[in-house]
Amino acid sequence: MTGTENEEMKKAQTAAEQGTSDAERTARQRKRSIAIAVSLALLAVLFYVATLVKMTGGIAEKAGS
Amino acid sequence: MSDIGLNDRLDRDDLALPVGGDVKDYVALLKPRVMSLVVFTALVGMVAAPGGIHPLLGAIAILCIAVGAGASGALNMWYDADIDARMARTAARPIPRGKVTPGEALCFGTILSVLSVMCLGLLVNWVAGALLAITIAFYLFVYTMWLKRKTPQNIVIGGAAGAFPPMVGWAAVTGGVSIESILLFALIFMWTPPHFWALSLYRMRDYERVGVPMLPVVAGLKETRRQILIYSLLLVPIGISPWFIGLGGWTYLATSSILGAIFLWYAVDVYRIREEGTDADARAKRLFVFSIYYLFALFAVLLVELTVARLMVWLV
């Protein structure tokens, strides 16, 4: 194999590895984004439900007094 | 794959390798094993507190305490990234491995700290929120950034951060602090030095390599063993004291007495070491491992006793 062919093979290999690494990075970013979105949604639900619980507790106390 | 070796001198910026971590790498930043102990002791503090809390608000409190503890872990990993890369025990953490950059860990830890404190304060009460904020701040600023690299008493004072969770759990229910919650704090506070010094006895080379002034590095192995024995002697009566104030029952008295005696036995065994080597390391490791079971068992028995007592009241 000539030196030029060797260099071309190495470039193709690096490009392929780069592509794979880019794809992996994109997949990891996607997973992180999904995890953040789910966490924020859970946080919103948590606040909503906790507010209901605290408001219900307040109304029950007022009704009792 | 990181090419950082144990002998390389590193600054924190050298570790900024932008490879993009997976979700599990961010979870690893939270130190899940430490989180589980924090959650468990906080739960015991919550169950031990008089009165009650709505189950949902109680679960929220536990979640906030867990996230706050995890945030502390992430911030600790951010600050200690340089020495973590050079210690065998910590070289596999996400930042030394190049999975997460220090900046990402800092951002992650900061956001989780603020969120956990705000949620605990808004949804439960501000005394618990304030205590959680103090816990996080103490662990980061007092232990990690100040004491750890400055003094061999780092683990004695800095260990207070790990002792706060039962107080936070108690405050989540009562909105305040009491002698019982302070006692639970004292139990963990007094347990921390013999626990971590036992670890440092057989990990001394690691700490020496990175210049962390753990007691064996500064004062020597013999003095460390003596200090372990002293703190163990102080720990055992504190371990039993929940029975004296009525927090623990007869099962707790028996458990804390027996396990305390075993703890002392192992501490004496470590103290009597005369030759360094495999046997000395094995004895130190045995004490370290037992100390984990000791603390877990004491809190577990408290939890069971208190839960049974509440169930009896509820049923009758």
Side-chain angles (χ1 to χ4, degrees):
Chain A
M1 214 180 270
T2 64
T4 316
E5 283 170 354
N6 257 340
E7 274 178 29
E8 281 174 5
M9 262 191 68
K10 277 182 187 166
K11 276 185 190 168
Q13 215 169 14
T14 308
E17 283 169 2
Q18 185 76 21
T20 310
S21 144
D22 281 345
E24 277 177 21
R25 189 172 296 128
T26 306
R28 279 198 291 264
Q29 277 178 339
R30 189 177 151 75
K31 267 199 236 175
R32 286 202 307 265
S33 300
I34 291 170
I36 292 170
V38 167
S39 303
L40 285 173
L42 279 175
L43 189 64
V45 168
L46 210 65
F47 264 87
Y48 178 71
V49 176
T51 306
L52 282 179
V53 166
K54 288 174 82 98
M55 281 173 64
T56 309
I59 291 168
E61 278 169 18
K62 281 183 187 167
S65 61
Chain B
M1 184 83 160
S2 171
D3 59 356
I4 297 161
L6 287 177
N7 294 319
D8 292 335
R9 288 192 58 83
L10 289 167
D11 293 324
R12 207 165 288 111
D13 291 337
D14 291 336
L15 297 157
L17 304 169
V19 295
D22 207 339
V23 171
K24 65 178 186 311
D25 298 314
Y26 283 88
V27 171
L29 281 178
L30 303 177
K31 296 189 186 180
R33 278 192 295 184
V34 174
M35 261 174 81
S36 59
L37 185 64
V38 164
V39 164
F40 182 61
T41 55
L43 179 67
V44 174
M46 202 178 280
V47 171
I53 186 170
H54 191 284
L56 178 73
L57 297 181
I60 288 172
I62 291 292
L63 180 65
C64 290
I65 293 167
V67 170
S72 303
L75 291 170
N76 170 267
M77 286 203 195
W78 157 71
Y79 193 81
D80 280 349
D82 53 342
I83 59 175
D84 281 353
R86 292 157 57 206
M87 291 174 66
R89 189 175 67 87
T90 55
R93 288 180 173 175
I95 300 175
R97 280 190 304 127
K99 294 293 185 182
V100 176
T101 68
E104 286 169 344
L106 173 61
C107 190
F108 185 59
T110 305
I111 290 173
L112 288 187
S113 300
V114 171
L115 265 181
S116 60
V117 169
M118 293 302 295
C119 286
L120 189 58
L122 285 167
L123 300 178
V124 182
N125 66 65
W126 282 108
V127 175
L131 282 172
L132 182 63
I134 289 169
T135 305
I136 296 168
F138 196 93
Y139 187 65
L140 175 63
F141 297 114
V142 177
Y143 172 65
T144 302
M145 295 175 80
W146 179 32
L147 296 175
K148 182 170 176 178
R149 305 186 192 208
K150 290 278 187 306
T151 167
Q153 297 301 312
N154 49 17
I155 209 67
V156 176
I157 303 161
F164 276 114
M167 282 180 80
V168 183
W170 184 284
V173 176
T174 65
V177 170
S178 70
I179 191 74
E180 290 91 346
S181 68
I182 292 171
L183 192 59
L184 293 176
F185 169 93
L187 176 54
I188 301 175
F189 183 78
M190 205 53 69
W191 166 88
T192 303
H195 169 74
F196 279 102
W197 283 336
L199 170 72
S200 67
L201 279 178
Y202 64 92
R203 289 284 187 184
M204 192 181 86
R205 298 282 164 247
D206 255 1
Y207 290 109
E208 203 170 34
R209 184 185 303 122
V210 297
V212 171
M214 291 300 278
L215 198 62
V217 177
V218 172
L221 295 168
K222 190 176 170 188
E223 177 58 23
T224 305
R225 291 176 189 132
R226 195 178 76 91
Q227 293 289 330
I228 286 175
L229 182 59
I230 291 170
Y231 275 89
S232 302
L233 285 165
L234 294 170
L235 170 64
V236 171
I238 292 176
I240 298 173
S241 58
W243 176 77
F244 286 109
I245 61 167
L247 191 59
W250 292 104
T251 312
Y252 182 83
L253 176 66
T255 308
S256 59
S257 302
I258 293 168
L259 293 184
I262 298 173
F263 198 111
L264 265 180
W265 177 269
Y266 286 155
V268 168
D269 198 39
V270 165
Y271 177 70
R272 289 169 61 197
I273 292 171
R274 289 292 170 257
E275 275 181 27
E276 308 310 328
T278 330
D279 180 56
D281 285 353
R283 290 197 222 178
K285 199 177 286 189
R286 188 172 61 181
L287 174 61
F288 172 72
V289 171
F290 179 77
S291 68
I292 299 169
Y293 289 123
Y294 171 82
L295 191 71
F296 175 77
L298 257 54
F299 274 80
V301 168
L302 264 181
L303 181 63
V304 168
E305 275 189 343
L306 290 163
T307 307
V308 167
R310 281 177 185 262
L311 278 174
M312 298 289 279
V313 166
W314 185 66
L315 286 169
V316 168

